[in-house]
DNA sequence: CAGTGGTCTAGACCACCAG
DNA sequence: TGGTGGTCTAGACCACTGA
């Protein structure tokens, strides 16, 4: 346990449980806490950090939710033995993901129009059939190579000010943030299909190539749907990672 | 708020926060709490249920984690307006999923052998290269139609007693449970590929058809890897659903 | 300003597990 | 039997929101 730092900044706005959680997480990633290692018990850790047990518990719960440790009553807390560390899927756009991994994303807007919501879009966005929605179609490149063909429909109240220039200079989620829309929840269905001729041409693959598909609805902190999308990804350049932690 | 039942069984082993959470969830699913509706504040709900605020908070947090409600400081808690209710991905086998939706799954074991772990399997399972692992290959049917072709590698300590008969009569996760292995965490990578001739023949699709692929590692409550799998799914019959809730 | 959720404390009792 | 995590209580103070 000597590897943990036990340094807390009580004047910081960063919650104590989060500070502790990050310190233990760092120890695991450094290998100071090896796979299978047992953590000290909750009361002991709380005492060392000068925290109450509920706060310490919450710190450890963060690690449980991330799949880094497992807890068992009567036993203790152990570090999970991941072969390769995998990051949890997060609520960021493909653009942000690519930029963070240094892949220089660019975007070309193919369609940008106000359209009437059909039945599916209306249900997904929670608007009336025929209501005005912004329909956009974008082609996303990474390092100059086409990667994804993305269709989105957005309520005009949310997206009326979105311009082609804004959509080509960054990701949709960043645009949401800059206009005061706080995305909170996304629900996706992931599947596969063969590329038709038009899709193949745009994505630079042969006709019939296997594409990864995603249908996604996103909701903001008011619980309103702010975006519905149907996307196609080149399967040779993209895949989804999902971590499931039993409740 | 009159729609909630406020009935708790304090003698039940079911946690109070869980009882409350389920009652509110039921009210949302019945439509008694409509999309966009505001819940009563935490202290008020706690008083009505005769609970402390931390317990009430935990009940609501369950709903937040499920993507059913959103909370905002200074505002309150609101019901999310989902177009169609989507279930969180759970740690169950494909077999269980099919059985629960009444699709009469069956399994044919194509391969069942002890093999030496190659580098990839060894890393994923946390065993030495060349160590003995059980390698199985299964074809899964739903309603008599082929649906998935599944390759799995399992440490012999975990799976040495697994028979072909057991593997054909149920899912892998149920087999784990019955042998005292408690699965807790699964990490998956989901992609797509074109079916080759052999895969196409087994799955009953044409060569080149788009297949959904999944690579999955599963860990038990000791944090040990108990299974690594590479699976192929017919994309016309299967897709993954993922819900992401911002932390 | 009053009201909301976010964080934190200092206890308590319990179920479960290993020795 | 002693130690572990799981649950629950009754407070407290704070940051943020809207009117």
């Amino acid at each position: 346990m000597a590897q943990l730092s036990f340094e807390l900044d009580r004047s910081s706005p960063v919650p104590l449980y989060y500070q502790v959680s990050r310190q233990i997480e760092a120890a695991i990633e450094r290998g100071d806490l090896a796979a299978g290692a047992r953590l000290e018990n909750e009361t002991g850790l709380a005492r060392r950090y000068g925290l109450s047990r509920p706060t310490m518990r919450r710190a450890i719960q963060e690690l449980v939710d991330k799949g880094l440790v497992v807890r068992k009553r009567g036993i203790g807390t152990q570090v999970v033995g991941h072969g390769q560390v995998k990051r949890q899927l997060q609520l960021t756009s493909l653009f942000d993901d690519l930029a963070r991994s240094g892949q220089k994303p660019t975007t070309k807007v193919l369609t940008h129009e106000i359209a009437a919501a059909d039945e599916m879009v209306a249900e997904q966005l929670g608007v009336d059939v025929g209501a005005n929605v912004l329909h956009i179609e974008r082609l996303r490149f990474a390092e100059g190579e086409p990667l994804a063909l993305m269709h989105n429909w957005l309520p005009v109240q949310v997206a009326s000010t979105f311009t082609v220039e804004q959509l080509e200079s960054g990701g949709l989620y960043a645009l949401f943030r800059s206009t005061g829309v706080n995305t909170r929840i996304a629900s996706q269905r992931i599947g596969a299909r063969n590329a038709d001729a038009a899709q193949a041409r745009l994505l630079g693959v042969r006709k019939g190539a296997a594409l990864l598909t995603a249908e996604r609805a996103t909701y903001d902190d008011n619980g309103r749907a702010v975006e519905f999308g149907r996307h196609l990804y080149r399967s040779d350049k993209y895949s989804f990672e999902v971590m499931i932690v039993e409740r």
Side-chain angles (χ1 to χ4, degrees), chain A:
Chain A
M1 298 305 118
Q3 302 85 349
L4 298 175
S5 61
F6 305 114
E7 287 173 15
L8 296 178
D9 180 359
R10 299 190 88 100
S11 69
S12 162
V14 177
L16 296 175
Y17 73 83
Y18 187 78
Q19 294 184 40
V20 175
S21 169
R22 294 289 295 168
Q23 288 184 15
I24 301 178
E25 186 177 350
I28 293 173
E29 285 178 355
R30 280 197 311 269
D32 290 348
L33 287 168
R38 278 244 317 273
L39 266 65
E40 189 179 352
N41 69 48
E42 295 177 348
T43 53
L45 280 172
R47 194 176 50 249
R48 283 177 188 265
Y49 273 102
L51 294 171
S52 67
R53 186 182 163 212
T55 301
M56 195 64 225
R57 264 186 76 74
R58 176 150 185 195
I60 298 173
Q61 187 60 43
E62 294 273 312
L63 303 175
V64 172
D65 293 341
K66 288 182 178 175
L68 292 172
V69 303
V70 288
R71 284 199 283 208
K72 267 191 301 187
R73 174 154 47 182
I75 304 290
T77 305
Q78 283 179 289
V79 177
V80 170
H82 282 123
Q84 61 217 40
V85 178
K86 290 185 180 173
R87 285 276 161 211
Q88 174 72 313
L89 205 56
Q90 284 188 324
L91 202 45
T92 54
S93 64
L94 176 57
F95 191 94
D96 298 335
D97 289 341
L98 293 169
R100 202 177 319 115
S101 61
Q103 293 206 50
K104 297 192 183 62
T106 56
T107 308
K108 184 178 180 188
V109 174
L110 305 178
T111 305
H112 180 279
E113 62 181 10
I114 303 293
D118 65 20
E119 198 169 333
M120 174 154 205
V121 169
E123 183 186 355
Q124 293 289 340
L125 293 182
V127 301
D128 295 331
V129 174
N132 278 348
V133 293
L134 176 66
H135 171 219
I136 58 177
E137 185 181 12
R138 296 170 295 161
L139 192 56
R140 167 97 8 111
F141 300 81
E143 302 286 344
E145 278 275 304
L147 173 67
L149 178 59
M150 304 180 288
H151 274 272
N152 289 91
W153 292 265
L154 307 92
V156 285
Q157 301 93 313
V158 172
S160 58
T161 66
F162 290 7
T163 66
V164 170
E165 291 69 33
Q166 287 174 321
L167 289 164
E168 292 197 337
S169 67
L172 188 55
Y173 278 41
L175 197 45
F176 277 140
R177 268 194 301 279
S178 70
T179 54
V181 172
N182 303 302
T183 56
R184 280 283 179 87
I185 303 170
S187 178
Q188 296 191 88
R189 177 180 286 277
I190 302 169
R193 61 163 293 168
N194 294 98
D196 67 23
Q199 293 158 357
R201 182 169 34 81
L202 287 167
L203 287 169
V205 296
R206 75 175 192 293
K207 180 167 177 292
L211 300 177
L212 198 55
T213 69
E215 280 189 17
R216 184 182 62 191
T218 308
Y219 304 84
D220 71 359
D221 57 1
N222 296 308
R224 296 179 316 168
V226 293
E227 174 254 346
F228 173 64
R230 298 169 69 103
H231 307 317
L232 297 168
Y233 303 89
R234 279 179 58 164
S235 58
D236 58 338
K237 292 195 173 292
Y238 196 71
S239 59
F240 288 94
E241 284 189 2
V242 184
M243 175 160 294
I244 307 167
V245 177
E246 191 83 333
R247 318 183 41 73

